[in-house]
Amino acid sequence: NTLVTTPALSVDSVAVLDTSSSSSQSFDCVSGGGAAKDLATYAYATYRTVKFIGQIVDNTSHETDCFEVLVTYDGADGPGATSDVHMTTYAYISSNDTPMGTLAAVKSGTNIALQFTNTVADFTGSFAVTATQLIKQ
């Protein structure tokens, strides 16, 4: 006879992460205008760290920029300024030789915004972004 025991299993019903997505969003980009476009935002009171995966498409040429970034911030209750928001880009690839723009993560009111600023000729585009959001501890 062999006695088999199973350790007690404890399950915490509190979520550790959430996901969100935004697809088929359209925008106009003006070269040199410097106007950043918000691709996604999240409430920093709820989430500390977010991983974004997305794409930006020129609707005429179908050039596509794809990216993966991780964003977090300093501060107990939230970032005091945009300088407290930190972003690292794991991948940014363009179907053309030149990316259509740049990404930045900034403090925007009670949110953190992932922004795109175009650096090439004017274009009408669309984008899709998926986020994995870690709930603030």
Side-chain angles (χ1 to χ4, degrees):
N1 292 339
T2 303
L3 178 63
V4 177
T5 60
T6 305
L9 178 63
S10 174
V11 177
D12 187 355
S13 63
V14 177
V16 176
L17 60 90
D18 288 333
T19 58
S20 65
S21 62
S22 178
S23 61
S24 300
Q25 303 296 311
S26 296
F27 61 95
D28 289 327
C29 287
V30 178
S31 178
K37 311 293 183 198
D38 285 356
L39 301 180
T41 62
Y42 69 92
Y44 58 72
T46 304
Y47 306 104
R48 177 170 293 277
T49 303
V50 175
K51 177 182 173 182
F52 294 104
I53 298 174
Q55 65 185 15
I56 299 163
V57 179
D58 180 320
N59 292 345
T60 302
S61 70
H62 305 291
E63 177 183 343
T64 303
D65 285 7
C66 299
F67 58 86
E68 179 181 8
V69 298
L70 188 64
V71 178
T72 193
Y73 64 86
D74 292 331
D77 296 323
T82 291
S83 60
D84 295 326
V85 179
H86 306 284
M87 182 183 91
T88 190
T89 303
Y90 289 106
Y92 195 110
I93 186 170
S94 179
S95 64
N96 194 353
D97 290 335
T98 304
M100 292 184 286
T102 60
L103 298 171
V106 300
K107 179 182 177 193
S108 178
T110 59
N111 294 317
I112 292 177
L114 178 67
Q115 296 180 331
F116 172 79
T117 301
N118 113 320
T119 56
V120 297
D122 302 352
F123 71 94
T124 300
S126 57
F127 65 90
V129 178
T130 298
T132 302
Q133 304 160 140
L134 295 174
I135 293 177
K136 185 177 167 186
Q137 301 294 311

